Amino acid sequence: SIVPDKVVQWAYTFYDGRATRFTSVLPATLPTTASIYGRAVNLNPLVRVQVQNFPQDMPLSDVKVYLGGSEEATVVEVLHTQTCAAVTLSCAGNRTTVVFRSPDIGSPIEWQGEESVRW
């Protein structure tokens, strides 16, 4: 008898290794409020966004994070976790983690995040 070939599929993404691009965010979701001793308390947790090929010489004061296009978050830290002179097979590009404190949101909502750099 003839046994059919097995087929395995997976998603694969090709990208420009020199372009600035979002790679991950932690945590992926955030609570807006919590109940402490019966009172609602607004939460402003820290969020870590990893970006590939972020400018390596940016001062913290020039990095801005906006949620929903208008709510500015407080940038706490910019950590360059991997630095490459050029994109190669052994170094896929600079990696930077931008840490920010989320602003008071008030009620649950799904927003797009935006990071901007002035240069």
Side-chain angles (χ1 to χ4, degrees):
S1 74
I2 298 174
V3 177
D5 292 339
K6 301 289 183 191
V7 177
V8 177
Q9 295 179 339
W10 68 92
Y12 205 81
T13 303
F14 293 92
Y15 61 90
D16 180 351
R18 298 165 296 164
T20 301
R21 69 185 193 96
F22 165 84
T23 56
S24 66
V25 63
L26 250 166
T29 61
L30 296 170
T32 58
T33 60
S35 182
I36 300 177
Y37 298 112
R39 296 183 59 186
V41 177
N42 288 335
L43 300 177
N44 303 102
L46 291 178
V47 178
R48 288 167 172 74
V49 176
Q50 190 172 62
V51 181
Q52 184 172 336
N53 297 320
F54 193 82
Q56 300 289 291
D57 56 350
M58 257 328 104
L60 186 67
S61 60
D62 285 352
V63 179
K64 305 291 181 199
V65 173
Y66 294 95
L67 299 174
S70 62
E71 293 291 323
E72 186 172 352
T74 303
V75 177
V76 176
E77 191 172 20
V78 176
L79 304 164
H80 302 294
T81 56
Q82 176 177 317
T83 302
C84 306
V87 175
T88 64
L89 289 177
S90 62
C91 188
N94 298 327
R95 300 283 175 152
T96 301
T97 301
V98 176
V99 181
F100 66 90
R101 184 169 306 284
S102 92
D104 284 335
I105 304 298
S107 60
I109 191 167
E110 186 172 315
W111 273 346
Q112 292 284 81
E114 178 182 296
E115 197 167 288
S116 67
V117 179
R118 196 174 28 184
W119 77 83

